[in-house]
Amino acid sequence: MNKFRRIIHIDMDAFFASVEQRDNPSLRGKPIAVGGMHRGVVAAASYEARKFGVRSAMPSHQALKLCPHLIFVNGHYNAYKEASNKVMKILRQYTELIEQVSIDEAYIDITDYKPNEVTAKEVAIEIRRKIKNEVNLTASAGISFTKFLAKVASDCNKPDGYYVIHPNKAEQFVRQLAVEKIPGVGNVNKKKLNKAGIYKGEDILKKGKINMALEFGKTGVYLYNQVTFTHDSPVVPKRLRKSVGKERTFNENIEDHNEMLDKLHAIIEKLAELLEKKNIAGKTITLKIKYHNFVVNTRSKTLDDYISTTPEMYNAIYELLRMPNYPEEPVRLLGVQLSNLNINKNESRQLLLDF
Amino acid sequence: MNFTVNLNEFQEAVNKTLPAIPPKSTLPVLEHLKFELNDNLLEIISTDQEITIKTQLNVENSTPGKILVPGRKLNDILKALGKTEKITFNSNTENFEIDLITDFGAYKMKGLNNDEYIELPELFESNVDISDSSVVDNALLPKDDVIRLADKTAFAVSSDDFRPAMTGVLFQFRGQFINAVSTDSYRLVKSTYNSEEINLPNELDIIIPSRTMDILKKADDEVHFSFIKNNDKVTHIKFKVGSTIYISRIIDEKFPPYESVIPQSNNIFLKVNKNQLQSAIKRVAIFANDITKQIRVKIEPTQMTLTAQDIDSGTKADEKISCSLEGEPVEIGFNYKFLDEAISHINTSSDGEIVFSLSESNKPALLMPEKDSKELLMLIMPVRLNN
């Protein structure tokens, strides 16, 4: 057992929706969707809503068609963040090897946590109990010896369950695994694979590495490595961010340039707060504009120096919006992204005059 | 159009008009010099539509005419003609061919019809007699003072086209004095010229493009400033240096409210020998990190320690120099390039010392030739130190 790593994938159940139901008892047991009240997309759906086919990232009007008595609620991001922080704090009691993938999902590597005293399954059970008692939410857990298997496992008994894929059962499990369950396989890849007669893990094994590479390129190699457990990526404590950004979809399309600037200022203030908290600065700033007709346009500028404050970013964004010309069509979404990041906390920062 | 001219004078005149010849223009006609000859007086005009330059020189044996001459090509050949004293210029009014003839050579190039040149309304406007001293909006400034104002400020101009106001130098005309201010938001320079003899507009703020400042830096005679207005709004600044007139568009933007960022209550004052400090910076900087260019300055009552360290390459340097401190000891970080540039633009007081004024390690530092200097103030933003 010791030569295998012990990895747990913790995945909160319908996270945003569950937080809303936790904090507002009148929503419990009802189909709810977070976000998308006026327009846009569902950010998260409760399990009651999922029964009707409502999914996150689904346009609201479509969700409403599937589930006419769907209740839309505004998101409370601070509450999500707070809950997420509490969960991460629980995980940190076991190890520092925590890779937080998103606000509601993380891998932990507990190979070195009391190796001869407790099993990974016992740890997962304890973590789930603590989350329920202390945060009043449910989480699903997947336990195995690679991140890939742990992730697949956490989905097996979701919600509010766990599943263990033991090393000597792994091959058998993977052989029966539908390809679309493999992380990274979306609709497009699924269709391609199915077309080539690949429906399950065993089909990939039958094909062999070389044929997978020839027919599907990088994706093929990736899939083969996953199902043979050769792609054994470690749990990286802190995921390196490539970019950080904020965006907003508006209830009504915006045509007035000053209004766009006001909205951008608000977005930038939020982004600056985040950057300050994470001690991040970036050199490349990107303005994202989505027009009423869903055409997306981005404008970027790379500066000589790292920026992170509201006035620095606003100045750059103001120019990006203005030059070469203001958007000529109504705008439904605006976003600001900072990339080319300086994540090294210890790097000194040239201070700027605050004009 | 024909004339004969002294080569040196011709070369000098052409050279003066060159700053307004764009290296590559969207309008090919702007790569040309406009020649206009009347009564043995040759007028040469160049423009890139931001700066327009007009100069004059006397020629001999002339027949009048107008033509457009390729600017860089003409300058190149004039510069390369070392020995000859005189040069003859002949142009054909039919096919616009230009012949340059010296004692030992003949050079042919193709000009353009003068009618193809662009309109220059601001130049026409400038025909108002600017030597009339009863006009309030003009002033004659000594050469050295103009060069000083330009030289002290031009280096700190921003190159960020996204903040156009900061790509020029703010000139604040205040009757008896001028403030010239530049900033790139990492540092700020304010240089002041004060004289009882001048009579300038009382409340006029204009931003002069940095390219125009580069011309002023090279002024070789006293400078006569005046302004060109359009609908009562100043659109151009005009200055006459010797027989050359420069007209520059001003940057029509709002300069950042710089006064508010200049600290008024710094309570730490440091006096240090300029040469000692500069050579210490030069040596220590070799060991600083290439990207941050950070040096750490620890200031104590009688000595300051400069430290640079680059963890990546494992290099480190520190050096101590003596100083005198008034106020609390402090530790502050700087980009050495900014520090060095600022120091080198300060002319020291008689004993070779310069003054720093500070408050905290994350607040702006001021550098001056002496405490409460009215003439020059440099502000540098520090680098945040990690302890």
Side-chain angles (χ1 to χ4, degrees):
Chain A
M1 180 76 191
N2 269 353
K3 72 180 207 220
F4 292 108
R5 290 189 300 152
R6 304 198 294 174
I7 292 169
I8 304 175
H9 180 244
I10 296 287
D11 195 6
M12 301 301 291
D13 300 323
F15 184 54
F16 293 178
S18 300
V19 173
E20 296 302 334
Q21 289 176 323
R22 178 195 69 178
D23 296 346
N24 183 352
S26 71
L27 298 173
R28 287 179 199 163
K30 293 183 182 155
I32 71 163
V34 177
M37 193 174 295
H38 297 289
R39 99 131 160 251
V41 297
V42 173
S46 68
Y47 282 98
E48 294 83 357
R50 290 185 193 195
K51 280 181 198 149
F52 293 88
V54 178
R55 296 278 177 271
S56 57
M58 178 180 277
S60 325
H61 61 90
Q62 196 183 332
L64 213 50
K65 239 183 234 167
L66 292 167
C67 178
H69 47 289
L70 184 65
I71 304 165
F72 286 98
V73 292
N74 273 326
H76 296 88
Y77 290 87
N78 289 335
Y80 309 152
K81 189 71 212 162
E82 198 193 322
S84 171
N85 287 343
K86 279 185 183 163
V87 172
M88 293 305 145
K89 213 169 153 193
I90 291 169
L91 299 183
R92 223 165 289 129
Q93 296 166 4
Y94 301 90
T95 177
E96 282 300 311
L97 282 179
I98 301 170
E99 180 174 339
Q100 186 174 1
V101 185
S102 66
I103 194 163
D104 59 351
E105 191 187 339
Y107 295 98
I108 64 172
D109 182 333
I110 52 151
T111 310
D112 295 328
Y113 177 74
K114 301 186 180 170
N116 297 315
E117 294 170 43
V118 291
T119 64
K121 183 173 127 183
E122 285 163 352
V123 173
I125 291 170
E126 192 175 288
I127 287 173
R128 292 197 336 107
R129 185 173 49 77
K130 281 184 181 170
I131 293 175
K132 201 172 275 176
N133 290 345
E134 295 170 26
V135 198
N136 206 0
L137 293 168
T138 64
S140 296
I143 304 117
S144 194
F145 61 99
T146 72
K147 275 161 67 179
F148 156 61
L149 287 172
K151 177 156 175 109
V152 174
S154 70
D155 206 32
C156 287
N157 282 323
K158 206 169 181 43
D160 200 13
Y162 67 92
Y163 191 78
V164 185
I165 300 174
H166 202 265
N168 55 27
K169 297 267 174 61
E171 192 186 331
Q172 190 195 336
F173 179 89
V174 162
R175 282 185 176 276
Q176 296 308 313
L177 185 70
V179 285
E180 64 267 29
K181 294 275 184 191
I182 300 175
V185 178
N187 269 332
V188 177
N189 278 328
K190 182 195 167 188
K191 271 184 200 155
K192 271 194 211 163
L193 291 162
N194 288 171
K195 216 174 158 189
I198 299 171
Y199 296 91
K200 289 179 174 179
E202 61 185 359
D203 300 327
I204 297 174
L205 292 169
K206 260 184 238 157
K207 267 262 177 225
K209 190 172 183 174
I210 291 171
N211 284 327
M212 284 299 290
L214 285 174
E215 286 178 40
F216 305 102
K218 257 189 200 163
T219 316
V221 176
Y222 161 81
L223 290 171
Y224 188 85
N225 285 342
Q226 291 290 25
V227 299
T228 52
F229 319 123
T230 34
H231 180 79
D232 199 16
S233 69
V235 172
V236 183
K238 196 184 170 193
R239 172 155 293 216
L240 292 183
R241 282 167 179 272
K242 291 225 167 70
S243 69
V244 49
K246 293 257 175 214
E247 58 182 49
R248 264 195 67 191
T249 302
F250 308 111
N251 295 332
E252 278 165 39
N253 293 331
I254 301 180
E255 290 186 63
D256 181 64
H257 300 151
N258 285 326
E259 201 183 336
M260 290 180 199
L261 286 169
D262 286 348
K263 300 287 187 201
L264 282 167
H265 196 268
I267 293 170
I268 286 168
E269 277 185 327
K270 283 257 185 304
L271 181 57
E273 234 172 72
L274 180 72
L275 294 168
E276 165 91 42
K277 210 149 95 203
K278 303 221 177 267
N279 196 8
I280 296 174
K283 269 192 177 179
T284 302
I285 189 158
T286 304
L287 169 66
K288 178 177 168 189
I289 304 166
K290 194 192 264 178
Y291 293 100
H292 63 107
N293 52 5
F294 288 86
V295 171
V296 177
N297 171 233
T298 58
R299 305 175 177 183
S300 311
K301 173 179 162 70
T302 297
L303 303 123
D304 292 340
D305 291 282
Y306 289 105
I307 61 170
S308 64
T309 64
T310 302
E312 287 165 348
M313 288 191 284
Y314 184 70
N315 277 322
I317 284 295
Y318 173 57
E319 297 304 334
L320 285 173
L321 186 73
R322 200 167 67 137
M323 281 189 240
N325 51 281
Y326 279 110
E328 283 162 0
E329 309 252 344
V331 165
R332 79 190 310 267
L333 171 148
L334 288 169
V336 176
Q337 191 190 56
L338 206 58
S339 50
N340 217 333
L341 302 176
N342 146 27
I343 308 199
N344 187 350
K345 294 190 281 293
N346 291 322
E347 204 169 310
S348 56
R349 282 262 288 127
Q350 170 68 50
L351 300 169
L352 286 151
L353 286 166
D354 189 13
F355 288 129
Chain B
M1 180 173 103
N2 309 305
F3 63 87
T4 300
V5 65
N6 173 293
L7 178 70
N8 276 342
E9 288 172 18
F10 193 30
Q11 206 234 303
E12 218 172 87
V14 168
N15 196 41
K16 281 210 168 106
T17 59
L18 229 50
I21 294 285
K24 226 182 175 173
S25 176
T26 44
L27 281 176
V29 72
L30 297 185
E31 292 168 18
H32 292 72
L33 297 169
K34 179 178 155 72
F35 275 34
E36 195 169 337
L37 179 57
N38 279 308
D39 301 330
N40 278 343
L41 188 68
L42 176 65
E43 193 176 273
I44 307 175
I45 292 171
S46 62
T47 188
D48 59 10
Q49 296 181 291
E50 183 171 281
I51 300 173
T52 300
I53 304 174
K54 181 173 101 175
T55 192
Q56 297 178 327
L57 80 159
N58 291 309
V59 299
E60 301 163 5
N61 311 325
S62 70
T63 54
K66 296 174 182 178
I67 191 166
L68 304 182
V69 186
R72 298 212 173 263
K73 188 156 271 171
L74 177 65
N75 185 58
D76 287 347
I77 180 63
L78 295 183
K79 264 200 309 201
L81 284 171
K83 280 180 190 155
T84 187
E85 279 211 342
K86 296 224 168 191
I87 182 165
T88 298
F89 182 107
N90 294 325
S91 71
N92 184 319
T93 45
E94 301 291 312
N95 59 14
F96 310 109
E97 276 181 0
I98 296 162
D99 290 299
L100 296 171
I101 299 150
T102 67
D103 292 342
F104 48 84
Y107 315 91
K108 189 189 275 296
M109 50 189 174
K110 193 99 172 83
L112 288 176
N113 187 343
N114 176 72
D115 297 343
E116 289 179 33
Y117 209 64
I118 58 163
E119 300 260 332
L120 294 169
E122 63 271 16
L123 197 65
F124 175 75
E125 184 81 19
S126 69
N127 286 338
V128 180
D129 182 11
I130 57 165
S131 63
D132 179 2
S133 62
S134 69
V135 181
V136 173
D137 287 3
N138 78 93
L140 201 58
L141 264 59
K143 175 181 112 183
D144 291 344
D145 292 294
V146 172
I147 293 174
R148 180 174 63 82
L149 286 181
D151 182 54
K152 300 291 180 212
T153 53
F155 78 96
V157 164
S158 170
S159 55
D160 184 357
D161 289 336
F162 275 10
R163 299 194 73 178
M166 284 159 54
T167 62
V169 176
L170 172 72
F171 270 64
Q172 296 184 302
F173 294 96
R174 295 286 184 272
Q176 303 300 310
F177 65 94
I178 302 171
N179 291 326
V181 185
S182 64
T183 181
D184 59 3
S185 77
Y186 306 118
R187 55 251 170 102
L188 182 147
V189 186
K190 179 183 174 189
S191 181
T192 301
Y193 170 70
N194 197 340
S195 167
E196 309 256 301
E197 325 241 304
I198 55 169
N199 189 13
L200 285 162
N202 255 326
E203 284 293 332
L204 176 64
D205 287 11
I206 58 169
I207 303 171
I208 303 181
S210 76
R211 283 182 48 232
T212 310
M213 297 305 295
D214 289 338
I215 295 173
L216 284 172
K217 253 199 266 185
K218 292 180 202 140
D220 56 5
D221 203 342
E222 58 182 7
V223 180
H224 195 155
F225 279 96
S226 59
F227 308 94
I228 297 172
K229 289 181 184 169
N230 194 352
N231 292 333
D232 248 14
K233 197 171 176 229
V234 175
T235 58
H236 293 78
I237 183 164
K238 170 172 173 177
F239 46 94
K240 189 166 185 259
V241 187
S243 54
T244 307
I245 292 170
Y246 301 85
I247 292 161
S248 164
R249 185 187 288 174
I250 63 165
I251 298 174
D252 186 19
E253 294 278 340
K254 210 170 152 23
F255 201 78
Y258 76 90
E259 269 123 343
S260 64
V261 301
I262 299 176
Q264 300 300 325
S265 52
N266 277 0
N267 50 6
I268 302 170
F269 295 94
L270 168 81
K271 251 192 193 171
V272 58
N273 181 282
K274 174 183 161 178
N275 291 341
Q276 270 184 25
L277 177 59
Q278 249 192 319
S279 48
I281 291 171
K282 201 162 276 164
R283 287 185 293 268
V284 170
I286 298 169
F287 299 87
N289 180 290
D290 280 348
I291 296 160
T292 65
K293 298 190 166 54
Q294 176 192 306
I295 62 170
R296 187 182 278 261
V297 183
K298 190 175 174 188
I299 301 160
E300 290 161 303
T302 57
Q303 70 172 23
M304 60 196 287
T305 311
L306 309 179
T307 314
Q309 189 171 12
D310 181 18
I311 296 161
D312 297 342
S313 64
T315 57
K316 191 182 171 181
D318 59 69
E319 208 171 301
K320 289 180 181 17
I321 51 177
S322 59
C323 67
S324 67
L325 174 69
E326 192 189 315
E328 293 293 305
V330 65
E331 197 165 7
I332 187 166
F334 289 109
N335 176 320
Y336 67 75
K337 199 176 139 256
F338 294 162
L339 193 58
D340 185 54
E341 267 183 346
I343 294 169
S344 51
H345 281 91
I346 296 178
N347 302 337
T348 53
S349 54
S350 54
D351 48 4
E353 286 184 320
I354 56 170
V355 174
F356 281 74
S357 112
L358 313 157
S359 62
E360 293 166 37
S361 53
N362 284 341
K363 295 280 166 63
L366 298 179
L367 275 80
M368 296 154 288
E370 57 203 314
K371 205 170 159 179
D372 302 320
S373 163
K374 296 262 185 300
E375 212 172 64
L376 180 66
L377 179 142
M378 305 234 176
L379 179 155
I380 309 182
M381 286 305 284
V383 169
R384 187 183 282 144
L385 292 174
N386 301 294
N387 293 310

